[in-house]
């Protein structure tokens, strides 16, 4: 059932050698249509490899998941969530594209858009931190992508610099939707409380997790906004706002909202971050206010320029 619906159909003209008659054949794209290359990344239950289409030479990133392992680890549900989410977010700016899915006896395959310029974490590591202009450039793309995503009823729940890839044009592309939540309501103004049960009470990464998840075990759209605030802080400071030697101590800092701006942290970004990293989600600023914040005063979110402008000098 999993592969059938998502399998790509390719219609090919096949010429009969004896009669010369041309007939249309429906072929399914499969593993044999790609040449697999270097490893691009390793997840907890998946591996991402570079894949090249033999027919077109086009490059993809193929995420490979071992079926037996998924079943044993009870992760099948998350793979389906990832697939359904990526399908719902098709043609959304700032979200990695899913082109095909298929399977063989051992594995499931996601043929994803290949983002050849690494991720935001490696960009920050390379430069130590990024300057204000560059922070604004990526922050604008990330918040716009979150806006699209939330308006389509998707909460990411594990937003972090590693999950923000840089595409061919150095534009941001969110990825890794295995922990996403799909909501029926797609109205962004209507905040839906997404109650979690004990069995799945923790999703996310310690440094970017919101206090409400730790205190009350619920998350809604605003957990992605919290993570966005942490990422903006990190771009400037070179390290996330809540960081300790272990997860437990990190959680304690998050719950107390205990963080300090580094010396020289630009005033306008301080104000933005201060208005996001607020414990009570009801007092935290939302996406429309973030877009209207003075930090984005010279950014036009309505004319597509956020996605068209060339990236500024990094560093
Ligand atoms: N690593 C994980 N996913 C990737 C992708 N889509 N492109 C490049 N590297 C990746």
């Amino acid at each position: 059932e999993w592969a059938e619906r998502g399998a790509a159909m390719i219609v090919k003209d096949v010429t009969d050698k004896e009669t010369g008659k041309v007939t249309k054949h429906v072929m399914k794209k499969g593993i044999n249509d790609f040449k697999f290359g270097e490893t691009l990344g390793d997840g907890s239950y998946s591996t991402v490899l570079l894949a090249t289409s033999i027919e077109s030479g086009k490059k993809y990133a193929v995420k490979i998941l071992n079926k037996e392992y998924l079943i044993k680890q009870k992760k099948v549900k998350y793979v389906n969530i990832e697939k359904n989410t990526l399908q719902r977010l098709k043609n959304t700016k700032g979200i990695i594209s899913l082109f095909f899915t298929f399977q063989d006896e051992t594995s499931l395959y996601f043929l994803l858009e290949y983002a050849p310029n690494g991720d935001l974490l490696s960009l920050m590591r390379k430069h130590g931190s990024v300057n204000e202009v560059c922070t604004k450039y990526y922050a604008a793309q990330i918040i716009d992508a979150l806006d699209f995503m939330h308006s389509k009823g998707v909460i990411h729940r594990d937003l972090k610099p590693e999950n923000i890839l840089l595409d061919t044009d150095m534009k941001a592309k969110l990825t890794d939707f295995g922990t996403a939540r799909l909501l029926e309501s797609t109205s962004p103004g209507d905040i839906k409380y997404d109650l979690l049960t004990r069995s799945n009470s923790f999703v996310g990464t310690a440094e970017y997790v919101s206090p409400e998840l730790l205190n009350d075990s619920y998350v809604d759209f605003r957990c992605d906004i919290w993570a966005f605030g942490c990422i903006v802080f990190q771009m400037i400071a070179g390290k996330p706002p809540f960081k300790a030697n272990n997860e437990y101590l990190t959680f304690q800092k998050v719950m107390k909202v205990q963080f300090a701006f580094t010396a020289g942290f630009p005033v306008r970004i301080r104000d933005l971050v201060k208005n996001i990293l607020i414990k009570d989600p009801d007092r935290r600023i939302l996406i429309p206010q973030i877009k209207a914040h003075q930090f984005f005063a010279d950014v036009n979110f309505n004319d597509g320029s956020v996605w068209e402008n060339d990236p500024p000098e990094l560093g």
Side-chain angles (χ1 to χ4, degrees):
E1 193 247 356
W2 194 84
E4 292 310 312
R5 280 184 291 144
M9 300 289 214
I10 305 203
V11 183
K12 269 200 170 157
D13 288 335
V14 176
T15 312
D16 188 294
K17 280 203 185 86
E18 282 172 18
T19 64
K21 211 177 145 203
V22 178
T23 47
K24 299 247 179 244
H25 279 229
V26 174
M27 327 247 286
K28 263 192 196 140
K29 226 180 193 25
I31 184 166
N32 296 326
D33 295 305
F34 298 90
K35 199 170 97 258
F36 289 1
E38 62 177 283
T39 303
L40 300 172
D42 271 309
S44 43
Y45 52 94
S46 66
T47 299
V48 180
L49 302 181
L50 181 65
T52 310
S53 160
I54 291 164
E55 201 178 19
S56 69
K58 193 172 151 81
K59 285 182 173 144
Y60 296 88
V62 61
K63 185 166 186 167
I64 307 171
L65 304 110
N66 181 277
K67 287 185 191 176
E68 201 183 300
Y69 184 78
L70 289 176
I71 292 163
K72 273 201 191 127
Q73 302 287 321
K74 299 190 165 50
K75 301 288 184 201
V76 177
K77 190 180 134 194
Y78 299 103
V79 180
N80 286 316
I81 288 173
E82 180 159 20
K83 188 180 167 214
N84 295 337
T85 306
L86 287 168
Q87 285 176 344
R88 192 190 277 196
L89 296 175
K90 234 187 175 74
N91 302 319
T92 306
K93 280 251 185 296
I95 310 287
I96 211 85
S97 299
L98 174 65
F99 294 104
F100 321 107
T101 54
F102 45 79
Q103 62 178 317
D104 58 19
E105 308 81 62
T106 59
S107 306
L108 302 176
Y109 302 85
F110 281 79
L111 261 291
L112 299 160
E113 170 185 0
Y114 172 50
N117 289 305
D119 59 39
L120 198 60
L121 183 69
S122 37
L123 184 91
M124 290 191 283
R125 289 212 171 126
K126 197 166 136 198
H127 298 274
S129 62
V130 292
N131 63 36
E132 186 173 344
V133 175
C134 189
T135 298
K136 192 193 301 184
Y137 181 80
Y138 285 111
Q141 292 179 1
I142 297 163
I143 203 67
D144 208 33
L146 289 181
D147 201 0
F148 286 133
M149 195 185 87
H150 289 174
S151 70
K152 291 185 178 179
V154 175
I155 315 175
H156 188 291
R157 300 201 296 182
D158 194 19
L159 191 68
K160 54 183 170 183
E162 296 96 298
N163 289 340
I164 302 169
L165 301 178
L166 300 169
D167 74 6
T168 323
D169 304 323
M170 287 300 283
K171 304 268 156 62
K173 289 272 163 90
L174 309 188
T175 192
D176 222 337
F177 288 83
T179 54
R181 198 79 158 191
L182 279 155
L183 302 181
E184 285 180 19
S185 160
T186 55
S187 160
D190 162 28
I191 292 166
K192 283 252 164 123
Y193 292 91
D194 185 9
L195 291 163
L196 299 176
T197 55
R198 271 196 176 278
S199 62
N200 63 353
S201 62
F202 179 66
V203 215
T205 303
E207 283 82 8
Y208 306 92
V209 76
S210 60
E212 62 271 21
L213 185 103
L214 298 173
N215 286 315
D216 312 315
S217 295
Y218 79 85
V219 289
D220 57 38
F221 292 115
R222 296 172 294 187
C223 71
D224 290 337
I225 299 175
W226 174 277
F228 168 79
C230 295
I231 295 165
V232 170
F233 178 100
Q234 187 172 357
M235 283 195 269
I236 296 292
K239 57 179 193 229
F242 309 103
K243 182 141 190 69
N245 288 334
N246 60 53
E247 278 198 344
Y248 176 77
L249 293 174
T250 302
F251 292 154
Q252 296 218 309
K253 286 189 168 180
V254 171
M255 284 192 286
K256 287 188 272 182
V257 195
Q258 188 191 321
F259 72 98
F261 289 108
T262 48
F265 200 104
V267 174
R268 268 181 305 198
I269 315 183
R270 270 181 206 235
D271 188 81
L272 176 66
V273 170
K274 269 192 213 160
N275 280 292
I276 295 173
L277 301 183
I278 291 174
K279 184 164 177 162
D280 178 0
D282 290 332
R283 291 181 45 236
R284 209 174 286 158
I285 60 171
L286 298 174
I287 292 177
Q289 296 162 277
I290 293 172
K291 286 183 166 180
H293 190 273
Q294 55 173 342
F295 176 50
F296 293 121
D298 58 357
V299 176
N300 187 334
F301 285 100
N302 302 312
D303 65 358
S305 57
V306 164
W307 300 98
E308 282 156 18
N309 292 341
D310 288 331
E313 283 296 312
L314 300 169

